[in-house]
Structures are given as C-alpha cells and as structure tokens.
Amino acid sequence: MSESETTRQRRSAPNPSAVKTGSPLSDSRAFSGFSSKDIAKAKAFYAQTLGLEVSEANGLLTLHLAGGGRVIIYPKENHEPATFTVLNFPVENIEQVVDRLATAGIQFERYPGLTQDERGITRGGGPQIAWFKDPAGNILSVLQQ
C-alpha cells in the first residue's frame, strides 16, 4: 500500500477519541423514523390499537414514547416494509401484553426455526419476544424486560 493510501485511510477512519462528552451530537435528542404507505391507517393503529400518544404535523406522525423517546412515521408511496424489527416495546409482563394486543386484533408473527409458544412468544436463546406488524407491514415487537 502506498503512503498516500495509508494517509487517506487514516483520515477517513473514525477517531474514537473525537466522539466524547461535549461532542456535537452528545446532547442531541436523536430520534428514529420509518415509512408507511398510509398515514391515516398508521395513526389509527398506533393511537387506537396500541394506545400510544400520536401527534401529526406537516403530514408526519410522531409517536411519543415512554421516557421521552420519539419516532417519526413519514408517508412513502412506494413503501416497502423492512425485513427487521423497526420498533421494540419492552414490557413488564409479556404474556399479559400479548393477550391484550391479541384481544385488540393484533396477530403475532411466526418465524421458522424459532421456538414460539401458542401465543407467538419466543422463549429461549435470548429475551422472551413476540413480533407483530403495523398496517404497513413494519415489524414491531414486545419483549420481556
């Protein structure tokens, strides 16, 4: 490797000591976001079915989560749901929460190769977790704290 290639690599490599307390992002109130093909359906699902505080402004939804967290849901005509979990809800009693969500019409996902009980809760190899989807097909989960 030439000396100029080595120098370029050093300049582009992250510097762990540069990101520390007082960095430009250390006090940022970061948030996450994902898309939905139908904002009205998403609003009804998150507010009415899941019981979350949801606000709407400029065509975007904001989910106001416990502890002050926020998630933005934005409209996207050609929305394709992610193949991974976009939002996790830690809960005190997963069985009770899964039962209440099932009563509200939520169907829990089944994944080949995972050991899941009759409710869809995975037990073993990590936290107890159950996955479900929002109306746009985004994968959400509840997991035992």
Side-chain angles (χ1 to χ4, degrees), residues 86-106:
V86 298
L87 187 57
N88 298 287
F89 294 95
V91 297
E92 295 283 332
N93 185 326
I94 192 167
E95 289 89 358
Q96 186 178 59
V97 171
V98 165
D99 288 347
R100 288 186 66 190
L101 291 173
T103 299
I106 301 290

Side-chain angles (χ1 to χ4, degrees), residues 15-30:
N15 179 354
S17 65
V19 180
K20 57 186 174 190
T21 304
S23 76
L25 300 180
S26 66
D27 293 325
S28 176
R29 292 186 158 202

Side-chain angles (χ1 to χ4, degrees), residues 81-87 131 138-140:
T83 57
F84 52 86
T85 309
V86 298
L87 187 57
W131 294 272
N138 295 309
I139 302 170
L140 314 173

Side-chain angles (χ1 to χ4, degrees), residues 3-143:
E3 188 171 328
S4 62
E5 287 176 284
T6 304
T7 304
R8 266 196 311 267
Q9 282 182 344
R10 267 192 242 130
R11 269 191 249 139
S12 64
N15 179 354
S17 65
V19 180
K20 57 186 174 190
T21 304
S23 76
L25 300 180
S26 66
D27 293 325
S28 176
R29 292 186 158 202
F31 61 91
S32 185
F34 52 87
S35 67
S36 178
K37 59 186 164 196
D38 188 326
I39 291 296
K41 281 184 183 177
K43 184 176 185 179
F45 175 78
Y46 286 97
Q48 295 167 13
T49 305
L50 298 186
L52 300 177
E53 181 186 342
V54 179
S55 61
E56 186 173 3
N58 303 313
L60 304 174
L61 298 181
T62 301
L63 306 181
H64 302 272
L65 306 174
R70 295 179 302 142
V71 174
I72 301 296
I73 301 177
Y74 55 92
K76 187 175 179 188
E77 261 184 53
N78 61 346
H79 166 77
E80 292 286 334
T83 57
F84 52 86
T85 309
V86 298
L87 187 57
N88 298 287
F89 294 95
V91 297
E92 295 283 332
N93 185 326
I94 192 167
E95 289 89 358
Q96 186 178 59
V97 171
V98 165
D99 288 347
R100 288 186 66 190
L101 291 173
T103 299
I106 301 290
Q107 294 184 19
F108 288 88
E109 298 298 304
R110 306 291 176 160
Y111 294 107
L114 293 180
T115 304
Q116 292 174 279
D117 68 13
E118 66 282 351
R119 291 176 170 126
I121 301 171
T122 300
R123 300 174 189 276
Q128 295 177 33
I129 186 167
W131 294 272
F132 60 101
K133 293 181 179 178
D134 74 1
N138 295 309
I139 302 170
L140 314 173
S141 82
V142 290
L143 63 140

